[in-house]
PDB file of all heavy atoms in Angstrom:
ATOM      1  N   ASP A  95     179.162 -31.769  93.585  1.00  0.00           N
ATOM      2  CA  ASP A  95     179.649 -32.683  94.612  1.00  0.00           C
ATOM      3  C   ASP A  95     180.756 -32.116  95.464  1.00  0.00           C
ATOM      4  O   ASP A  95     181.591 -31.355  94.984  1.00  0.00           O
ATOM      5  CB  ASP A  95     180.251 -33.908  93.918  1.00  0.00           C
ATOM      6  CG  ASP A  95     179.275 -35.041  93.846  1.00  0.00           C
ATOM      7  OD1 ASP A  95     178.525 -35.231  94.809  1.00  0.00           O
ATOM      8  OD2 ASP A  95     179.279 -35.729  92.811  1.00  0.00           O
ATOM      9  N   CYS A  96     180.779 -32.558  96.706  1.00  0.00           N
ATOM     10  CA  CYS A  96     181.973 -32.350  97.522  1.00  0.00           C
ATOM     11  C   CYS A  96     183.115 -33.053  96.802  1.00  0.00           C
ATOM     12  O   CYS A  96     184.148 -32.454  96.515  1.00  0.00           O
ATOM     13  CB  CYS A  96     181.740 -32.967  98.903  1.00  0.00           C
ATOM     14  SG  CYS A  96     183.231 -33.045  99.874  1.00  0.00           S
ATOM     15  N   ALA A  97     182.918 -34.314  96.503  1.00  0.00           N
ATOM     16  CA  ALA A  97     183.892 -35.068  95.709  1.00  0.00           C
ATOM     17  C   ALA A  97     183.141 -36.105  94.899  1.00  0.00           C
ATOM     18  O   ALA A  97     182.225 -36.750  95.403  1.00  0.00           O
ATOM     19  CB  ALA A  97     184.895 -35.754  96.616  1.00  0.00           C
ATOM     20  N   ARG A 135     180.567 -28.458  89.975  1.00  0.00           N
ATOM     21  CA  ARG A 135     181.748 -29.100  90.581  1.00  0.00           C
ATOM     22  C   ARG A 135     181.641 -30.538  90.109  1.00  0.00           C
ATOM     23  O   ARG A 135     181.125 -31.398  90.813  1.00  0.00           O
ATOM     24  CB  ARG A 135     181.659 -29.055  92.105  1.00  0.00           C
ATOM     25  CG  ARG A 135     181.830 -27.693  92.763  1.00  0.00           C
ATOM     26  CD  ARG A 135     181.493 -27.766  94.254  1.00  0.00           C
ATOM     27  NE  ARG A 135     182.303 -28.688  95.001  1.00  0.00           N
ATOM     28  CZ  ARG A 135     183.194 -28.361  95.939  1.00  0.00           C
ATOM     29  NH1 ARG A 135     183.387 -27.107  96.246  1.00  0.00           N
ATOM     30  NH2 ARG A 135     183.880 -29.296  96.569  1.00  0.00           N
ATOM     31  N   GLN A 139     186.101 -33.371  89.829  1.00  0.00           N
ATOM     32  CA  GLN A 139     186.205 -32.958  91.243  1.00  0.00           C
ATOM     33  C   GLN A 139     186.444 -34.207  92.112  1.00  0.00           C
ATOM     34  O   GLN A 139     185.554 -34.680  92.821  1.00  0.00           O
ATOM     35  CB  GLN A 139     184.938 -32.183  91.659  1.00  0.00           C
ATOM     36  CG  GLN A 139     184.811 -31.812  93.134  1.00  0.00           C
ATOM     37  CD  GLN A 139     185.982 -31.029  93.687  1.00  0.00           C
ATOM     38  OE1 GLN A 139     186.774 -30.450  92.937  1.00  0.00           O
ATOM     39  NE2 GLN A 139     186.137 -31.018  94.985  1.00  0.00           N
ATOM     40  N   ALA A 141     189.973 -34.967  93.725  1.00  0.00           N
ATOM     41  CA  ALA A 141     191.022 -34.864  94.750  1.00  0.00           C
ATOM     42  C   ALA A 141     190.643 -33.845  95.819  1.00  0.00           C
ATOM     43  O   ALA A 141     190.098 -32.788  95.509  1.00  0.00           O
ATOM     44  CB  ALA A 141     192.328 -34.450  94.089  1.00  0.00           C
ATOM     45  N   LYS A 142     190.899 -34.175  97.089  1.00  0.00           N
ATOM     46  CA  LYS A 142     190.508 -33.303  98.198  1.00  0.00           C
ATOM     47  C   LYS A 142     191.695 -33.017  99.115  1.00  0.00           C
ATOM     48  O   LYS A 142     192.485 -33.908  99.416  1.00  0.00           O
ATOM     49  CB  LYS A 142     189.447 -34.012  99.042  1.00  0.00           C
ATOM     50  CG  LYS A 142     188.150 -34.266  98.331  1.00  0.00           C
ATOM     51  CD  LYS A 142     187.374 -33.003  98.017  1.00  0.00           C
ATOM     52  CE  LYS A 142     186.778 -32.371  99.254  1.00  0.00           C
ATOM     53  NZ  LYS A 142     185.934 -31.219  98.926  1.00  0.00           N
ATOM     54  N   PRO A 143     191.784 -31.760  99.582  1.00  0.00           N
ATOM     55  CA  PRO A 143     192.817 -31.455 100.579  1.00  0.00           C
ATOM     56  C   PRO A 143     192.418 -32.074 101.917  1.00  0.00           C
ATOM     57  O   PRO A 143     191.235 -32.247 102.183  1.00  0.00           O
ATOM     58  CB  PRO A 143     192.767 -29.929 100.658  1.00  0.00           C
ATOM     59  CG  PRO A 143     191.368 -29.574 100.272  1.00  0.00           C
ATOM     60  CD  PRO A 143     190.917 -30.617  99.288  1.00  0.00           C
ATOM     61  N   GLU A 263     188.667 -28.319  91.943  1.00  0.00           N
ATOM     62  CA  GLU A 263     189.839 -27.743  92.618  1.00  0.00           C
ATOM     63  C   GLU A 263     191.089 -28.302  91.935  1.00  0.00           C
ATOM     64  O   GLU A 263     191.250 -29.519  91.815  1.00  0.00           O
ATOM     65  CB  GLU A 263     189.830 -28.112  94.108  1.00  0.00           C
ATOM     66  CG  GLU A 263     191.088 -27.582  94.803  1.00  0.00           C
ATOM     67  CD  GLU A 263     191.056 -27.677  96.320  1.00  0.00           C
ATOM     68  OE1 GLU A 263     189.986 -27.977  96.893  1.00  0.00           O
ATOM     69  OE2 GLU A 263     192.124 -27.428  96.916  1.00  0.00           O
ATOM     70  N   TRP A 292     189.941 -23.918  90.482  1.00  0.00           N
ATOM     71  CA  TRP A 292     190.143 -23.035  91.632  1.00  0.00           C
ATOM     72  C   TRP A 292     191.213 -23.570  92.560  1.00  0.00           C
ATOM     73  O   TRP A 292     191.540 -24.760  92.523  1.00  0.00           O
ATOM     74  CB  TRP A 292     188.829 -22.793  92.375  1.00  0.00           C
ATOM     75  CG  TRP A 292     188.358 -23.871  93.303  1.00  0.00           C
ATOM     76  CD1 TRP A 292     188.735 -24.072  94.605  1.00  0.00           C
ATOM     77  CD2 TRP A 292     187.383 -24.897  93.019  1.00  0.00           C
ATOM     78  NE1 TRP A 292     188.062 -25.143  95.141  1.00  0.00           N
ATOM     79  CE2 TRP A 292     187.218 -25.666  94.191  1.00  0.00           C
ATOM     80  CE3 TRP A 292     186.630 -25.240  91.897  1.00  0.00           C
ATOM     81  CZ2 TRP A 292     186.343 -26.763  94.277  1.00  0.00           C
ATOM     82  CZ3 TRP A 292     185.762 -26.324  91.980  1.00  0.00           C
ATOM     83  CH2 TRP A 292     185.630 -27.062  93.157  1.00  0.00           C
ATOM     84  N   VAL A 293     191.798 -22.641  93.349  1.00  0.00           N
ATOM     85  CA  VAL A 293     192.704 -23.068  94.433  1.00  0.00           C
ATOM     86  C   VAL A 293     191.925 -22.976  95.730  1.00  0.00           C
ATOM     87  O   VAL A 293     191.128 -22.055  95.947  1.00  0.00           O
ATOM     88  CB  VAL A 293     193.986 -22.216  94.594  1.00  0.00           C
ATOM     89  CG1 VAL A 293     195.080 -22.675  93.688  1.00  0.00           C
ATOM     90  CG2 VAL A 293     193.738 -20.757  94.496  1.00  0.00           C
ATOM     91  N   GLY A 294     192.181 -23.941  96.594  1.00  0.00           N
ATOM     92  CA  GLY A 294     191.446 -24.027  97.849  1.00  0.00           C
ATOM     93  C   GLY A 294     192.069 -23.172  98.936  1.00  0.00           C
ATOM     94  O   GLY A 294     193.157 -22.598  98.774  1.00  0.00           O
ATOM     95  N   GLU A 295     191.361 -23.104 100.044  1.00  0.00           N
ATOM     96  CA  GLU A 295     191.803 -22.333 101.197  1.00  0.00           C
ATOM     97  C   GLU A 295     193.176 -22.831 101.698  1.00  0.00           C
ATOM     98  O   GLU A 295     193.973 -22.059 102.186  1.00  0.00           O
ATOM     99  CB  GLU A 295     190.727 -22.453 102.297  1.00  0.00           C
ATOM    100  CG  GLU A 295     191.101 -22.020 103.688  1.00  0.00           C
ATOM    101  CD  GLU A 295     191.267 -20.509 103.833  1.00  0.00           C
ATOM    102  OE1 GLU A 295     191.191 -19.775 102.833  1.00  0.00           O
ATOM    103  OE2 GLU A 295     191.515 -20.081 104.970  1.00  0.00           O
ATOM    104  N   ARG A 296     193.437 -24.136 101.521  1.00  0.00           N
ATOM    105  CA  ARG A 296     194.695 -24.685 102.039  1.00  0.00           C
ATOM    106  C   ARG A 296     195.839 -24.653 101.035  1.00  0.00           C
ATOM    107  O   ARG A 296     196.954 -25.037 101.354  1.00  0.00           O
ATOM    108  CB  ARG A 296     194.454 -26.119 102.510  1.00  0.00           C
ATOM    109  CG  ARG A 296     193.869 -26.171 103.903  1.00  0.00           C
ATOM    110  CD  ARG A 296     193.305 -27.540 104.200  1.00  0.00           C
ATOM    111  NE  ARG A 296     191.909 -27.588 103.801  1.00  0.00           N
ATOM    112  CZ  ARG A 296     191.013 -28.426 104.301  1.00  0.00           C
ATOM    113  NH1 ARG A 296     191.374 -29.287 105.202  1.00  0.00           N
ATOM    114  NH2 ARG A 296     189.768 -28.405 103.895  1.00  0.00           N
ATOM    115  N   THR A 297     195.579 -24.234  99.809  1.00  0.00           N
ATOM    116  CA  THR A 297     196.656 -24.259  98.803  1.00  0.00           C
ATOM    117  C   THR A 297     196.822 -22.915  98.096  1.00  0.00           C
ATOM    118  O   THR A 297     197.406 -22.850  97.026  1.00  0.00           O
ATOM    119  CB  THR A 297     196.371 -25.357  97.746  1.00  0.00           C
ATOM    120  OG1 THR A 297     195.038 -25.186  97.269  1.00  0.00           O
ATOM    121  CG2 THR A 297     196.548 -26.745  98.317  1.00  0.00           C
ATOM    122  N   LYS A 318     189.549 -19.689  96.930  1.00  0.00           N
ATOM    123  CA  LYS A 318     188.754 -19.734  98.157  1.00  0.00           C
ATOM    124  C   LYS A 318     189.420 -18.836  99.188  1.00  0.00           C
ATOM    125  O   LYS A 318     190.647 -18.887  99.360  1.00  0.00           O
ATOM    126  CB  LYS A 318     188.718 -21.165  98.695  1.00  0.00           C
ATOM    127  CG  LYS A 318     187.957 -22.152  97.832  1.00  0.00           C
ATOM    128  CD  LYS A 318     186.468 -21.892  97.913  1.00  0.00           C
ATOM    129  CE  LYS A 318     185.699 -23.137  97.536  1.00  0.00           C
ATOM    130  NZ  LYS A 318     185.456 -24.035  98.642  1.00  0.00           N
ATOM    131  N   LEU A 319     188.615 -18.029  99.875  1.00  0.00           N
ATOM    132  CA  LEU A 319     189.157 -17.138 100.908  1.00  0.00           C
ATOM    133  C   LEU A 319     188.447 -17.410 102.237  1.00  0.00           C
ATOM    134  O   LEU A 319     187.240 -17.212 102.353  1.00  0.00           O
ATOM    135  CB  LEU A 319     188.951 -15.674 100.517  1.00  0.00           C
ATOM    136  CG  LEU A 319     189.615 -15.197  99.217  1.00  0.00           C
ATOM    137  CD1 LEU A 319     189.248 -13.738  98.947  1.00  0.00           C
ATOM    138  CD2 LEU A 319     191.130 -15.352  99.265  1.00  0.00           C
ATOM    139  N   GLY A 320     189.221 -17.867 103.221  1.00  0.00           N
ATOM    140  CA  GLY A 320     188.670 -18.154 104.544  1.00  0.00           C
ATOM    141  C   GLY A 320     188.778 -16.949 105.466  1.00  0.00           C
ATOM    142  O   GLY A 320     189.284 -15.884 105.070  1.00  0.00           O
ATOM    143  N   VAL A 347     185.915 -16.711  96.046  1.00  0.00           N
ATOM    144  CA  VAL A 347     184.879 -17.490  96.724  1.00  0.00           C
ATOM    145  C   VAL A 347     185.120 -17.391  98.228  1.00  0.00           C
ATOM    146  O   VAL A 347     186.082 -17.951  98.750  1.00  0.00           O
ATOM    147  CB  VAL A 347     184.931 -18.970  96.284  1.00  0.00           C
ATOM    148  CG1 VAL A 347     183.752 -19.742  96.871  1.00  0.00           C
ATOM    149  CG2 VAL A 347     184.970 -19.101  94.776  1.00  0.00           C
ATOM    150  N   THR A 348     184.266 -16.660  98.901  1.00  0.00           N
ATOM    151  CA  THR A 348     184.504 -16.454 100.335  1.00  0.00           C
ATOM    152  C   THR A 348     183.781 -17.543 101.128  1.00  0.00           C
ATOM    153  O   THR A 348     182.654 -17.918 100.814  1.00  0.00           O
ATOM    154  CB  THR A 348     184.018 -15.063 100.785  1.00  0.00           C
ATOM    155  OG1 THR A 348     182.602 -14.987 100.649  1.00  0.00           O
ATOM    156  CG2 THR A 348     184.655 -13.972  99.940  1.00  0.00           C
ATOM    157  N   ARG A 349     184.466 -18.083 102.136  1.00  0.00           N
ATOM    158  CA  ARG A 349     183.894 -19.166 102.969  1.00  0.00           C
ATOM    159  C   ARG A 349     184.343 -18.892 104.389  1.00  0.00           C
ATOM    160  O   ARG A 349     185.269 -19.475 104.912  1.00  0.00           O
ATOM    161  CB  ARG A 349     184.314 -20.538 102.446  1.00  0.00           C
ATOM    162  CG  ARG A 349     185.661 -20.622 101.783  1.00  0.00           C
ATOM    163  CD  ARG A 349     186.752 -20.885 102.757  1.00  0.00           C
ATOM    164  NE  ARG A 349     186.916 -22.284 103.099  1.00  0.00           N
ATOM    165  CZ  ARG A 349     187.205 -22.701 104.314  1.00  0.00           C
ATOM    166  NH1 ARG A 349     187.388 -21.827 105.290  1.00  0.00           N
ATOM    167  NH2 ARG A 349     187.405 -23.978 104.583  1.00  0.00           N
ATOM    168  N   ASP A 378     180.561 -19.133  99.392  1.00  0.00           N
ATOM    169  CA  ASP A 378     180.487 -20.565  99.715  1.00  0.00           C
ATOM    170  C   ASP A 378     180.084 -20.658 101.186  1.00  0.00           C
ATOM    171  O   ASP A 378     180.900 -20.442 102.073  1.00  0.00           O
ATOM    172  CB  ASP A 378     181.867 -21.202  99.461  1.00  0.00           C
ATOM    173  CG  ASP A 378     181.991 -22.602 100.079  1.00  0.00           C
ATOM    174  OD1 ASP A 378     181.041 -23.073 100.725  1.00  0.00           O
ATOM    175  OD2 ASP A 378     183.062 -23.212  99.910  1.00  0.00           O
ATOM    176  N   HIS A 381     181.837 -24.422 103.507  1.00  0.00           N
ATOM    177  CA  HIS A 381     183.113 -24.872 104.072  1.00  0.00           C
ATOM    178  C   HIS A 381     183.559 -24.146 105.328  1.00  0.00           C
ATOM    179  O   HIS A 381     184.427 -24.641 106.043  1.00  0.00           O
ATOM    180  CB  HIS A 381     184.199 -24.851 102.991  1.00  0.00           C
ATOM    181  CG  HIS A 381     183.982 -25.951 101.985  1.00  0.00           C
ATOM    182  ND1 HIS A 381     183.237 -25.769 100.853  1.00  0.00           N
ATOM    183  CD2 HIS A 381     184.338 -27.243 102.012  1.00  0.00           C
ATOM    184  CE1 HIS A 381     183.164 -26.909 100.193  1.00  0.00           C
ATOM    185  NE2 HIS A 381     183.830 -27.820 100.872  1.00  0.00           N
ATOM    186  N   GLY A 382     182.970 -22.979 105.614  1.00  0.00           N
ATOM    187  CA  GLY A 382     183.319 -22.303 106.875  1.00  0.00           C
ATOM    188  C   GLY A 382     182.394 -22.736 107.998  1.00  0.00           C
ATOM    189  O   GLY A 382     182.542 -22.282 109.137  1.00  0.00           O
ATOM    190  N   HIS A 421     178.406 -20.579  95.805  1.00  0.00           N
ATOM    191  CA  HIS A 421     179.190 -21.786  95.527  1.00  0.00           C
ATOM    192  C   HIS A 421     178.736 -22.814  96.560  1.00  0.00           C
ATOM    193  O   HIS A 421     179.018 -22.656  97.750  1.00  0.00           O
ATOM    194  CB  HIS A 421     180.678 -21.442  95.684  1.00  0.00           C
ATOM    195  CG  HIS A 421     181.606 -22.593  95.435  1.00  0.00           C
ATOM    196  ND1 HIS A 421     182.600 -22.566  94.492  1.00  0.00           N
ATOM    197  CD2 HIS A 421     181.702 -23.810  96.017  1.00  0.00           C
ATOM    198  CE1 HIS A 421     183.257 -23.708  94.496  1.00  0.00           C
ATOM    199  NE2 HIS A 421     182.734 -24.481  95.433  1.00  0.00           N
ATOM    200  N   GLU A 423     177.818 -27.027  97.779  1.00  0.00           N
ATOM    201  CA  GLU A 423     177.912 -28.468  97.553  1.00  0.00           C
ATOM    202  C   GLU A 423     176.503 -29.008  97.543  1.00  0.00           C
ATOM    203  O   GLU A 423     175.711 -28.715  98.444  1.00  0.00           O
ATOM    204  CB  GLU A 423     178.717 -29.122  98.672  1.00  0.00           C
ATOM    205  CG  GLU A 423     180.190 -28.894  98.494  1.00  0.00           C
ATOM    206  CD  GLU A 423     181.021 -29.609  99.535  1.00  0.00           C
ATOM    207  OE1 GLU A 423     180.458 -30.273 100.425  1.00  0.00           O
ATOM    208  OE2 GLU A 423     182.235 -29.479  99.461  1.00  0.00           O
ATOM    209  N   TRP A 458     183.655 -34.546 103.105  1.00  0.00           N
ATOM    210  CA  TRP A 458     184.653 -34.170 104.107  1.00  0.00           C
ATOM    211  C   TRP A 458     185.274 -32.851 103.745  1.00  0.00           C
ATOM    212  O   TRP A 458     185.061 -32.360 102.664  1.00  0.00           O
ATOM    213  CB  TRP A 458     185.726 -35.253 104.256  1.00  0.00           C
ATOM    214  CG  TRP A 458     186.494 -35.507 103.033  1.00  0.00           C
ATOM    215  CD1 TRP A 458     187.726 -35.012 102.723  1.00  0.00           C
ATOM    216  CD2 TRP A 458     186.134 -36.334 101.917  1.00  0.00           C
ATOM    217  NE1 TRP A 458     188.145 -35.459 101.516  1.00  0.00           N
ATOM    218  CE2 TRP A 458     187.201 -36.267 100.997  1.00  0.00           C
ATOM    219  CE3 TRP A 458     185.033 -37.100 101.601  1.00  0.00           C
ATOM    220  CZ2 TRP A 458     187.190 -36.949  99.798  1.00  0.00           C
ATOM    221  CZ3 TRP A 458     185.037 -37.772 100.405  1.00  0.00           C
ATOM    222  CH2 TRP A 458     186.085 -37.711  99.509  1.00  0.00           C
TER     223      TRP A 458
HETATM  224  C1  PEP B  29     186.114 -27.584  98.668  1.00  0.00           C
HETATM  225  O1  PEP B  29     185.503 -26.651  98.113  1.00  0.00           O
HETATM  226  O2  PEP B  29     185.982 -28.768  98.326  1.00  0.00           O
HETATM  227  C2  PEP B  29     187.016 -27.270  99.791  1.00  0.00           C
HETATM  228  C3  PEP B  29     187.779 -28.200 100.352  1.00  0.00           C
HETATM  229  O3  PEP B  29     186.926 -25.989 100.159  1.00  0.00           O
HETATM  230  P1  PEP B  29     187.970 -25.069 100.965  1.00  0.00           P
HETATM  231  O4  PEP B  29     189.239 -25.062 100.179  1.00  0.00           O
HETATM  232  O5  PEP B  29     187.271 -23.759 100.948  1.00  0.00           O
HETATM  233  O6  PEP B  29     188.121 -25.654 102.330  1.00  0.00           O
END
Side-chain angles (χ1 to χ4, degrees):
D95 263 322
C96 169
R135 290 171 60 113
Q139 174 55 18
K142 295 292 289 185
E263 177 170 350
W292 79 84
V293 275
E295 166 71 355
R296 278 165 270 204
T297 51
K318 292 288 202 87
L319 299 177
V347 186
T348 65
R349 31 88 83 218
D378 166 358
H381 289 91
H421 180 123
E423 283 184 359
W458 61 99

